[in-house]
Amino acid sequence: MERYDCHSATQEYPHPFIHEVKMTTAQRIRGVILGSVLFPVRILLASLLFLIMWPVARLRLAGLSEEERSRPVKGWRRWLFHSVILSLSRAVFFCLGYFWVKVKGRKADLKEAPVLVVAPHSGFLDMLVLCPTELATVVSRSENASLPVVGALLEFNQAVLVSRKDPESRRKAVAQVRERLTSDGYWPQMLMFPEGTTTNGSVLIKFKPGAFLAGVPVQPVLLHYPNELVSEVGIEALWHTTSQLYTNVTVEFLPVYNPSQEEKNDPNLYADNVQKLMAKALGVPATDYVMDGRVPVSKLGGLSLPVESPARKTLSLLQRSLGACDVEAALDRMIDRCQTGAQGSARASVDELAAILGLTDRQAAVTICGLYYFKDEIVDLRQICLSVAALSGLFSFKSVLHTAFTLFDREGTGSLSAEQLSNLMGALLGVPQRNTAELYTQASNQGQLTEECLLQVLTTHPTYQRVANEFMQCDKAGAHLANGKAENNNSSMQNGNGSIHYNKKFD
């Protein structure tokens, strides 16, 4: 197998999806003492207020037909119940320790900006922003509508509900949002968290285009928590918040952003430019990180690149469990399994994976399955062996790509389809790939995507060369493993004369 210089892939920005609570011993002691008193009292008071809000929220639309509910609430139903729920909402957060909410800037009115975009989104307590925005309407998961109290408040809010699992529901929600934002004041102002998920606030992840599809002006809104103990988890977040004497928060309204014609025509460009503006105001990086399913990734050339490589974690686990010298043999056994029999033979259960790898600890195999996000503890061996082999430093990238091409070109035609290319890139990167059209166009010639053309694009094209170097070739851990093999007298990497020995599994 050819040897080559390893490129050490490093993370360019802080990891936005890990919530770490850093506390001194004194802070922990104070938190336990204060929390044991304040947590139950504050949660009790907040719960009582929610119970009062529940029937009041239901009264707002009580007695209205479905057609009337599909229109914005007007008249006495709006001014009476709106003011009551707004006051109760502020009281809830007061009970949780948000005694003062500092507001900077001026909230734009409905005609100036039909939508408010809020960032960063660090947890469910960010809903505090609804108070200074006068209970602007929101977009929420349809599953939340069945929750006690929350469902009533979403009904009161006339929120747009969407099921992430149902494409038709997503299409209807997009149409509904577009209709409301372009209603010229007919519908109330909307509020959205364009990041689409929670982060630790160290960066702004890529904004989703939903708030920008209508091409209307938006008002960026920033959330500042000077003394918050950052935590995303529900009970943990409540504990750290309520165990403080008080929590400072500043809601900052930036000037309204009016899109250019180019931004109106390209919602993604519009979203990116607003993201950069808000990141600059916050003093944090604007990144291209997104959540793809439940996997945090960045996007480059249409490919999804894992923020935390499952292959790197798997390689480290195998090194600890098997030892450096046995990792190559384990990879060989996986390739043997994938190359024999039908395509289904590439899939393995946890117990089969443990046997193939030679793991005595079943939990290690369970952990590996979890890293590759397969259901029912079934994993595709091609994803494990190819992504780990690329990072291990044992094999050249050319050899790994050849093996990958052979595994996915099951008919032996010498060419891959667009779907096969997606599966191959998913195996090399360790996460599913859903948008490889750009790469397919670059690498195919008259509808034929050969191994030679793919290798050329991945090693010479500026974008994909970066992908190959940083995500599909060995890091320092892999270099250490390769060097360990080279120094072993029984090594299969070199013969006694120091010449290259080719591993036939990846030849």
Side-chain angles (χ1 to χ4, degrees):
M1 191 61 57
E2 299 177 56
R3 299 285 301 277
Y4 59 96
D5 292 334
C6 296
H7 177 91
S8 177
T10 57
Q11 198 166 291
E12 188 176 357
Y13 300 113
H15 195 308
F17 301 106
I18 295 179
H19 291 250
E20 292 183 296
V21 178
K22 296 181 179 179
M23 301 174 66
T24 64
T25 302
Q27 286 177 318
R28 291 183 183 279
I29 294 173
R30 185 181 66 178
V32 170
I33 295 173
L34 291 177
S36 60
V37 176
L38 294 177
F39 179 81
V41 172
R42 285 175 165 173
I43 295 302
L44 176 61
L45 292 174
S47 300
L48 290 174
L49 288 169
F50 272 123
L51 289 176
I52 296 172
M53 293 169 70
W54 195 348
V56 175
R58 291 294 189 195
L59 285 173
R60 191 186 197 198
L61 299 182
L64 296 182
S65 65
E66 286 299 319
E67 182 181 356
E68 291 172 320
R69 286 168 177 253
S70 67
R71 299 194 295 264
V73 173
K74 303 288 185 181
W76 67 271
R77 287 179 181 266
R78 175 168 178 80
W79 65 258
L80 175 60
F81 294 111
H82 189 275
S83 59
V84 173
I85 293 295
L86 178 59
S87 299
L88 289 172
S89 299
R90 182 65 189 93
V92 167
F93 284 99
F94 184 89
C95 290
L96 294 177
Y98 294 87
F99 299 147
W100 307 278
V101 177
K102 183 178 179 181
V103 177
K104 292 178 63 177
R106 180 188 67 87
K107 186 182 84 69
D109 62 34
L110 175 60
K111 291 295 183 71
E112 291 177 286
V115 61
L116 308 169
V117 290
V118 184
H121 189 18
S122 57
F124 66 91
L125 291 173
D126 291 340
M127 298 312 293
L128 168 71
V129 75
L130 285 171
C131 296
T133 58
E134 299 173 8
L135 303 183
T137 57
V138 299
V139 178
S140 179
R141 293 187 303 167
S142 57
E143 295 83 355
N144 292 337
S146 60
L147 297 176
V149 185
V150 174
L153 292 174
L154 289 175
E155 179 185 280
F156 167 90
N157 186 260
Q158 293 189 286
V160 175
L161 301 179
V162 57
S163 172
R164 296 179 180 179
K165 299 178 182 179
D166 182 3
E168 182 60 28
S169 174
R170 292 197 298 268
R171 283 192 290 270
K172 287 182 178 179
V174 168
Q176 197 173 357
V177 168
R178 191 190 296 270
E179 177 190 355
R180 290 191 181 193
L181 296 183
T182 56
S183 65
D184 195 27
Y186 180 68
W187 279 98
Q189 207 165 37
M190 294 196 72
L191 181 148
M192 297 188 192
F193 293 94
E195 291 177 289
T197 189
T198 56
T199 72
N200 58 23
S202 60
V203 302
L204 284 191
I205 64 173
K206 190 175 179 65
F207 283 4
K208 294 183 179 298
F212 310 93
L213 289 172
V216 297
V218 303
Q219 182 172 33
V221 183
L222 307 179
L223 293 179
H224 305 274
Y225 295 98
N227 73 329
E228 183 191 27
L229 292 172
V230 178
S231 176
E232 176 192 15
V233 184
I235 297 298
E236 188 180 353
L238 280 175
W239 174 268
H240 288 305
T241 299
T242 57
S243 62
Q244 301 178 91
L245 291 176
Y246 60 90
T247 298
N248 288 319
V249 60
T250 299
V251 177
E252 182 178 3
F253 293 97
L254 298 182
V256 172
Y257 189 102
N258 291 285
S260 65
Q261 189 58 50
E262 184 181 10
E263 290 170 325
K264 291 179 181 179
N265 297 335
D266 186 350
N268 287 302
L269 174 65
Y270 188 6
D272 288 345
N273 288 342
V274 174
Q275 178 210 22
K276 292 173 184 176
L277 181 147
M278 295 178 72
K280 183 178 180 181
L282 286 165
V284 300
T287 73
D288 57 359
Y289 294 150
V290 297
M291 287 296 288
D292 190 350
R294 62 189 184 100
V295 184
V297 301
S298 60
K299 296 286 187 178
L300 185 61
L303 299 178
S304 299
L305 309 177
V307 174
E308 287 189 316
S309 169
R312 188 165 288 110
K313 288 186 174 182
T314 300
L315 178 59
S316 177
L317 190 152
L318 291 177
Q319 287 176 307
R320 293 195 307 269
S321 302
L322 302 177
C325 296
D326 292 328
V327 172
E328 183 179 2
L331 294 175
D332 284 346
R333 290 193 294 271
M334 280 194 286
I335 287 295
D336 278 335
R337 168 68 179 268
C338 294
Q339 288 177 334
T340 57
Q343 185 174 356
S345 63
R347 295 185 179 273
S349 67
V350 169
D351 292 324
E352 289 174 319
L353 178 64
I356 293 169
L357 293 175
L359 294 170
T360 57
D361 180 10
R362 185 180 185 274
Q363 186 55 45
V366 173
T367 300
I368 292 174
C369 278
L371 291 173
Y372 287 86
Y373 302 103
F374 275 79
K375 295 181 179 179
D376 303 321
E377 295 188 337
I378 298 295
V379 71
D380 190 329
L381 294 176
R382 294 172 297 181
Q383 282 202 353
I384 300 175
C385 65
L386 293 172
S387 60
V388 173
L391 289 176
S392 68
L394 292 168
F395 319 108
S396 72
F397 177 66
K398 181 178 180 180
S399 299
V400 175
L401 182 63
H402 172 71
T403 301
F405 201 95
T406 303
L407 289 177
F408 286 95
D409 179 23
R410 301 294 295 184
E411 294 79 18
T413 62
S415 176
L416 296 182
S417 66
E419 182 181 358
Q420 288 171 324
L421 175 64
S422 293
N423 293 334
L424 180 148
M425 295 303 297
L428 288 174
L429 289 166
V431 296
Q433 301 298 315
R434 300 179 176 87
N435 187 15
T436 56
E438 186 178 334
L439 174 60
Y440 187 83
T441 300
Q442 292 288 339
S444 61
N445 181 18
Q446 297 180 347
Q448 297 290 310
L449 192 153
T450 64
E451 180 183 339
E452 182 181 356
C453 290
L454 180 58
L455 176 63
Q456 183 178 6
V457 170
L458 291 176
T459 54
T460 61
H461 187 283
T463 297
Y464 299 108
Q465 184 181 41
R466 178 182 168 192
V467 173
N469 286 342
E470 296 185 12
F471 293 90
M472 294 189 289
Q473 295 189 32
C474 74
D475 59 7
K476 291 179 180 179
H480 174 72
L481 175 59
N483 290 336
K485 292 287 289 181
E487 292 169 1
N488 189 322
N489 291 331
N490 298 321
S491 170
S492 63
M493 288 292 290
Q494 296 180 342
N495 62 21
N497 298 322
S499 60
I500 300 301
H501 175 82
Y502 287 81
N503 183 313
K504 294 301 179 184
K505 304 297 182 189
F506 285 88
D507 186 10

